[in-house]
Amino acid sequence: MADTSPRNSLTVTDNRTGLSYDIPIEQGAIRTLDLRQIKVSPEDFGLLGYDPGYFNTASCKSSITFLDGDKGILRYRGYPIEQLAEKSTFLETAYLLIKGVLPDKERLAVWTYNIRHNTLTHANMIKFMDGFRYDAHPMGILVGTIGALSTFYADAKDINNEESRKLQVRRLIGKIPTLAAMSYRHSMGYPYVLPDDDLSYTGNFLSMMFKMTEMHYKPNLILEHALDVLFILHADHEQNCSTSALRAVGSSGVDPYSAVAAGCAALYGPLHGGANEAVIHMLKKIGSIENIPAFIKSVKEGEGRLMGFGHRVYKNYDPRAKIIKKIAFQVFEETGRSPLLDMALELERIALEDDFFVSRKLYPNVDFYSGLIYQAMGFPLDMFPVLFAIGRVPGWLAQWTEHVQDPEQKIARPRQIYLGEEQRDYTPIEQRPKNRIDEKKFDICRL
Ligand code: CMC
């Protein structure tokens, strides 16, 4: 009897040769290495997948974050982001991301103790900070100083040792807010503030940022809670640009400080973690509500983007943006309403009714309202991506830990499609044809 059961495979016919191939399908994917058997001749290298920007390429198998961009779903370890934002704390969510389960009371207490007791940095870090120019961007400082941490902890190179990995995770989550606050205070010329153990993780960060001459800094509870929720919302987002950068760098076997510094550098870009800062610049440039239609028209004509809108994966309202919009109102009740909020609301209203944005499935993303909240809390614009980075560290570390332990992972090394010159012979400089240089345009720097 013929086998009629569905087969988990893909049959492709190469029309260049007429040959057919059966390629196994596993968990909804084919292994692109299986395409290499498809050749036009024995010397042929074999078929490659070409996917700039990784639109349709899975780089790993992961159990950390689930995301359905069409339905607007985001879950960490199976827990919906809405529930975590409402009921959890950032440190508990960090535990969840890294360990895979929610902690019981005792475990959470130990975890919190361990993170809190890793907030101090080596005193030499102050010299490092002082070496940056007074106007250095805090994100540049953060990238540099996270990388520098690797030089303080040589034991971090032992990436295959579970105990060492756990220690580096605690150190990194503990020290990032300290470095972040130091980078801000350096740019302001303020003395650095030591961590305060009596405060929560987020309260302590606010203290290291804003404490002046008072004996004990008391964070505003509403703002502290809002920032804690924002950290939860940023804690992981599966294989985004910075996480992929971190995994690629980590795949070389380097220590986690260097890998996290790479993730942080990727996050710095305006299309990624820098977008929240770009939203405020955009709103300020628009200037007032009356100018919004003209601005939307210019975006539609290709003169720039509506920052804080659109996402590679979400083709629906970003679930994080929904939560952030609610928080924005709570924060503004405390701090007073910013005129930029009204502009953002109007911009969103108009964009969501405009066919240009609707047909391209462009909705507000996590960065559209977060910058407004940060600004209301008193953070300067250039600290916005730094705040994103503080939130993302547990996610990066969960992804790094998973990557290091994944027996299928190899050093990241994509292929290319070479379009350059064929082999040619080196000619001595005297024999090369003379290139005519336009004297008027001659500019030695551009050669
Ligand atoms: N404003 C206007 N048009 C846009 C925008 C936007 N924000 N985003 C995408 N488009 C258009 C784009 O011009 C293109 O149109 P067409 O098909 O006519 O050429 C179409 O939508 C698809 O855009 P794409 O650039 O191919 O999409 P992508 O998946 O490569 O880019 C994105 C995703 C987030 C980089 C992009 O939407 C964007 O630049 N948004 C603004 C920056 C931003 O808010 N970034 C934060 C992302 S969320 C935080 C994070 O996870 O990093």
Side-chain angles (χ1 to χ4, degrees):
M1 208 167 84
D3 180 9
T4 54
S5 59
R7 281 183 300 156
N8 274 334
S9 70
L10 176 78
T11 303
V12 283
T13 303
D14 184 349
N15 293 321
R16 300 170 301 175
T17 59
L19 294 174
S20 278
Y21 302 83
D22 233 15
I23 296 175
I25 299 176
E26 248 181 78
Q27 286 137 345
I30 60 159
R31 287 179 184 260
T32 34
L33 203 52
D34 286 341
L35 299 175
R36 282 272 281 280
Q37 59 185 306
I38 304 177
K39 299 179 178 203
V40 281
S41 65
E43 302 77 48
D44 184 4
F45 182 77
L47 203 63
L48 288 174
Y50 175 58
D51 188 10
Y54 307 114
F55 270 75
N56 199 39
T57 298
S59 61
C60 62
K61 294 176 180 169
S62 181
S63 312
I64 302 168
T65 290
F66 173 78
L67 207 167
D68 184 329
D70 292 326
K71 296 193 182 125
I73 294 174
L74 173 63
R75 296 184 201 130
Y76 298 159
R77 301 279 188 187
Y79 294 98
I81 192 68
E82 294 78 6
Q83 291 182 21
L84 293 170
E86 195 190 328
K87 298 176 181 159
S88 185
T89 61
F90 177 62
L91 273 196
E92 186 187 60
T93 298
Y95 183 102
L96 171 70
L97 284 167
I98 287 158
K99 314 252 180 202
V101 289
L102 283 170
D104 60 20
K105 261 190 182 171
E106 201 184 323
R107 284 199 171 85
L108 182 60
V110 173
W111 170 251
T112 306
Y113 176 92
N114 283 339
I115 303 292
R116 290 247 198 95
H117 285 80
N118 272 296
T119 47
L120 281 173
T121 60
H122 192 288
N124 274 4
M125 198 46 94
I126 295 177
K127 290 188 196 148
F128 251 94
M129 284 283 165
D130 291 346
F132 286 98
R133 266 181 62 132
Y134 70 96
D135 59 352
H137 195 292
M139 195 63 173
I141 297 182
L142 192 67
V143 172
T145 50
I146 293 175
L149 283 181
S150 77
T151 63
F152 292 95
Y153 304 113
D155 57 330
K157 292 193 191 329
D158 198 3
I159 60 165
N160 295 316
N161 175 335
E162 189 183 350
E163 283 314 308
S164 170
R165 281 200 306 267
K166 285 182 178 168
L167 176 60
Q168 315 317 324
V169 163
R170 296 196 291 268
R171 282 177 175 157
L172 266 158
I173 298 177
K175 289 179 204 320
I176 296 289
T178 314
L179 296 178
M182 284 172 87
S183 72
Y184 163 71
R185 295 191 70 105
H186 170 74
S187 66
M188 300 299 288
Y190 296 154
Y192 304 122
V193 175
L194 287 174
D196 181 343
D197 233 8
D198 290 337
L199 298 172
S200 72
Y201 182 84
T202 302
N204 172 50
F205 170 60
L206 288 170
S207 163
M208 292 190 292
M209 281 287 300
F210 298 124
K211 183 173 181 296
M212 297 309 274
T213 52
E214 65 270 43
M215 278 295 279
H216 292 290
Y217 176 86
K218 280 201 192 109
N220 174 312
L221 291 181
I222 293 176
L223 303 190
E224 180 186 348
H225 175 253
L227 187 57
D228 203 67
V229 176
L230 282 164
F231 286 159
I232 294 175
L233 298 179
H234 285 89
D236 196 45
H237 214 231
E238 52 118 303
Q239 307 315 314
N240 54 81
C241 174
S242 56
T243 303
S244 303
L246 164 126
R247 278 189 180 253
V249 170
S251 75
S252 70
V254 77
D255 66 87
Y257 301 98
S258 304
V260 169
C264 204
L267 190 69
Y268 195 176
L271 296 186
H272 193 8
N276 46 21
E277 189 180 345
V279 170
I280 303 291
H281 287 304
M282 174 188 75
L283 292 173
K284 284 187 171 168
K285 202 169 143 206
I286 297 172
S288 71
I289 288 188
E290 305 83 77
N291 299 334
I292 290 178
F295 173 75
I296 294 274
K297 188 166 170 275
S298 71
V299 168
K300 286 159 63 174
E301 284 166 359
E303 292 168 30
R305 293 200 158 191
L306 175 48
M307 298 311 284
F309 257 67
H311 199 275
R312 169 65 58 81
V313 183
Y314 291 120
K315 301 302 169 196
N316 199 323
Y317 214 102
D318 181 337
R320 302 167 300 173
K322 267 190 204 157
I323 302 168
I324 290 181
K325 194 173 170 184
K326 263 197 223 153
I327 299 174
F329 286 104
Q330 290 163 13
V331 167
F332 283 120
E333 238 171 64
E334 198 62 20
T335 61
R337 198 174 171 108
S338 152
L340 296 186
L341 176 67
D342 294 313
M343 281 171 59
L345 289 168
E346 181 62 4
L347 206 49
E348 179 189 344
R349 191 191 64 75
I350 295 182
L352 292 183
E353 285 174 1
D354 191 305
D355 188 55
F356 177 92
F357 298 93
V358 174
S359 62
R360 288 171 177 77
K361 301 189 176 171
L362 301 172
Y363 292 89
N365 60 47
V366 69
D367 288 321
F368 193 64
Y369 288 105
S370 59
L372 289 169
I373 301 178
Y374 297 146
Q375 199 185 34
M377 287 177 171
F379 290 103
L381 291 197
D382 53 11
M383 276 300 283
F384 294 4
V386 173
L387 298 168
F388 192 152
I390 296 174
R392 185 53 58 88
V393 165
W396 283 333
L397 291 170
Q399 301 272 352
W400 173 77
T401 305
E402 189 178 67
H403 195 95
V404 168
Q405 292 178 284
D406 183 347
E408 278 205 302
Q409 285 299 338
K410 302 260 183 224
I411 187 165
R413 205 314 184 178
R415 291 280 173 180
Q416 64 167 7
I417 295 173
Y418 179 68
L419 299 178
E421 301 285 349
E422 289 295 326
Q423 180 176 327
R424 42 187 180 167
D425 289 326
Y426 182 88
T427 39
I429 197 159
E430 305 76 36
Q431 291 170 25
R432 292 176 211 160
K434 213 172 164 208
N435 284 328
R436 289 169 59 96
I437 294 175
D438 182 341
E439 293 294 333
K440 279 188 202 146
K441 287 189 188 157
F442 181 74
D443 174 358
I444 199 159
C445 300
R446 288 169 61 201
L447 281 179

